[in-house]
Amino acid sequence: MRAYVRGNPIAVMGMSGVGKTRIASMLRSQDRWFHYSIDYRIGTRYMDEAIVDNFKREATKVPLLRELLLSDSIFISSNITFDNLDPLSTYLGKPGDPKKGGIPFDEYIRRQREHKDAEIRALMDTPLFVEKARSIYGYDKFICDTGGSICEVVDPTDKNDPVLRTLSESCLLVYIAGDDSHAEALKARFDKSPKPMYYNETFLREVWADYLKETGCTETEVDPDHFIRWGFARLIDWRRPRYQAMADGWGITLAAKDVEKVNTPEAFLDLIEKSL
């Protein structure tokens, strides 16, 4: 872990919903921090072409849109923002019954692998953006808003893990850790609005096999939303120890319940300094 001086670059990590983006947005708006979003970088740089091609593939199924596309009469693009990552999650999709919006499991795995490669590249770009923020845009302070799946693409037990080494050499890694009540709230929120996301492939294949065995469904009979709801409940327990190992070996831990009370950049930096 690099020595920390107030105002040095920070990378926040943790499960979706713990407050990473809220904190990054607050630092950006209230104290002029450069906000580098890993998910935004994935969707606009490394997976943009695949996302747009998928839109076009669906559009060509409609005769009128197909003719307009082939004649260059219309233009299709992805409009990803920090607060709206739907084009990326829509591309990742959900496996299962095509009549319910599902895609074949093999295609799902292929897209998951695309995301893994893109996420690693986006994370490895962090030092580049620390420098660009300062030299091009004039920002002295920098926060990296890592995606909820960073723990799936690193090995915290490997002292030479390239992603963690690169991140820790340029930023202080800050893990925002939720407790059991937070985990239950995440499950409830996800149950209301299940969204596609990235999973470790070993974990994903295990969960898929268990789901097929438990439900007796064939791959094309699986209800896509039911499957990802079912898998998400197990995902939280899978990820929590991996995040903690990252914090123990490479950074610091802040409690999500404390971060929730933070309303100013100074209060957030105070939390970090108390933890140090």
Side-chain angles (χ1 to χ4, degrees), residues 78-138:
S78 169
N79 187 29
I80 288 179
T81 67
F82 285 0
D83 300 317
N84 179 19
L85 299 167
D86 286 352
L88 175 59
S89 60
T90 298
Y91 175 70
L92 286 177
K94 309 168 188 177
D97 187 348
K99 295 178 182 177
K100 296 181 178 180
I103 60 176
F105 187 70
D106 286 345
E107 173 63 12
Y108 185 62
I109 288 290
R110 188 189 70 78
R111 296 185 189 187
Q112 291 276 308
R113 289 173 178 171
E114 280 185 322
H115 189 283
K116 178 181 179 179
D117 180 62
E119 184 164 3
I120 290 172
R121 289 168 138 196
L123 288 164
M124 294 292 282
D125 283 344
T126 303
L128 170 66
F129 275 86
V130 171
E131 175 56 28
K132 288 175 70 170
R134 180 171 49 249
S135 64
I136 299 177
Y137 304 109

Side-chain angles (χ1 to χ4, degrees), residues 126-217:
T126 303
L128 170 66
F129 275 86
V130 171
E131 175 56 28
K132 288 175 70 170
R134 180 171 49 249
S135 64
I136 299 177
Y137 304 109
Y139 285 84
D140 295 325
K141 292 169 283 193
F142 177 96
I143 183 163
C144 173
D145 177 6
T146 67
S149 54
I150 181 177
C151 64
E152 308 285 19
V153 300
V154 300
D155 179 2
T157 65
D158 180 2
K159 294 302 181 183
N160 293 310
D161 182 272
V163 173
L164 286 173
R165 181 163 293 281
T166 296
L167 270 181
S168 64
E169 287 176 353
S170 58
C171 301
L172 172 70
L173 271 61
V174 178
Y175 168 42
I176 303 176
D179 56 19
D180 289 342
S181 63
H182 180 263
E184 291 306 311
L186 280 181
K187 291 176 185 177
R189 188 179 70 178
F190 191 86
D191 191 59
K192 290 180 181 178
S193 180
K195 65 177 183 178
M197 56 195 302
Y198 173 75
Y199 300 88
N200 172 281
E201 186 173 332
T202 299
F203 169 83
L204 177 59
R205 289 186 179 277
E206 178 182 313
V207 170
W208 181 248
D210 289 348
Y211 183 86
L212 294 180
K213 182 177 180 181
E214 182 172 310
T215 62
C217 292

Side-chain angles (χ1 to χ4, degrees), residues 94-95 108 190 194-196 199 224-233:
K94 309 168 188 177
Y108 185 62
F190 191 86
K195 65 177 183 178
Y199 300 88
D225 282 345
H226 187 266
F227 167 69
I228 63 170
R229 285 188 179 103
W230 189 85
F232 185 78

